Amino acid sequence: MRPYRTQEIKLRLVRSRRATFTVNRSGHVAKAFADLSHEPRESLWGVFLNGANEVVCLDRLSTGTINSSLADPAEVIRSALLVASTRIILVHAHPSGLPTPSPQDRITTQDIVNAAALFKIQVLDHVIIGSHGRYYSFADEGALPKPDSSVGPS
């Protein structure tokens, strides 16, 4: 029987010295991600922000099928923690071109909001990109869920 060897893995975050980009409107997010409307499958992206709403990272969190994105809240939180993000904006597109949230979109958003609350990370919005510049913003529509009362800090 051969002994197992453990390898050490080192992860280092490299920060750009470029000008910062601040996000303060859902329309800015929708415009920046408009090209997602041309993709044949749903993909969920995270826009990770610091306390000043400056973008610290953009990350494709999952790629799904033509009508669903397979989002795991643990992956979202892992990415946020790796880049020391305190705020998240979720973004995905519907290949159908219709930005109306599905019941699964609402469930996924609630699950991610609950997971983020455990780490004192705030989900600011979930923007769904449609075709022809249309989009749906959970925050703008007053539909962004609050963390369940049994989850996270009060």
Side-chain angles (χ1 to χ4, degrees), residues 13-140:
L13 177 64
V14 179
R15 297 196 185 265
S16 172
R17 299 279 186 231
R18 296 181 194 181
T20 59
F21 176 67
T22 303
V23 175
N24 54 20
R25 294 208 171 128
S26 59
H28 294 152
V29 174
K31 188 174 182 179
F33 284 89
D35 286 345
L36 286 182
S37 67
H38 304 296
E39 291 193 10
R41 296 186 299 168
E42 287 193 18
S43 60
L44 178 70
W45 285 77
V47 179
F48 296 94
L49 310 158
N50 62 18
N53 285 353
E54 297 170 338
V55 176
V56 294
C57 180
L58 302 174
D59 188 15
R60 182 189 302 249
L61 300 164
S62 72
T63 300
T65 65
I66 60 170
N67 60 3
S68 71
S69 179
L70 310 170
D72 180 3
E75 292 297 323
V76 177
I77 302 310
R78 180 180 296 120
S79 290
L81 293 173
L82 282 172
V83 297
S85 172
T86 58
R87 297 175 175 168
I88 305 169
I89 298 173
L90 303 168
V91 184
H92 83 278
H94 285 169
S96 69
L98 302 174
T100 307
S102 68
Q104 187 59 50
D105 290 337
R106 294 182 189 281
I107 291 167
T108 298
T109 302
Q110 181 69 66
D111 290 347
I112 293 171
V113 165
N114 289 342
L118 292 170
F119 295 91
K120 298 182 181 179
I121 297 170
Q122 183 181 11
V123 177
L124 299 178
D125 203 351
H126 183 171
V127 178
I128 302 173
I129 309 298
S131 59
H132 307 295
R134 296 178 298 171
Y135 67 93
Y136 179 93
S137 162
F138 278 74
D140 290 355

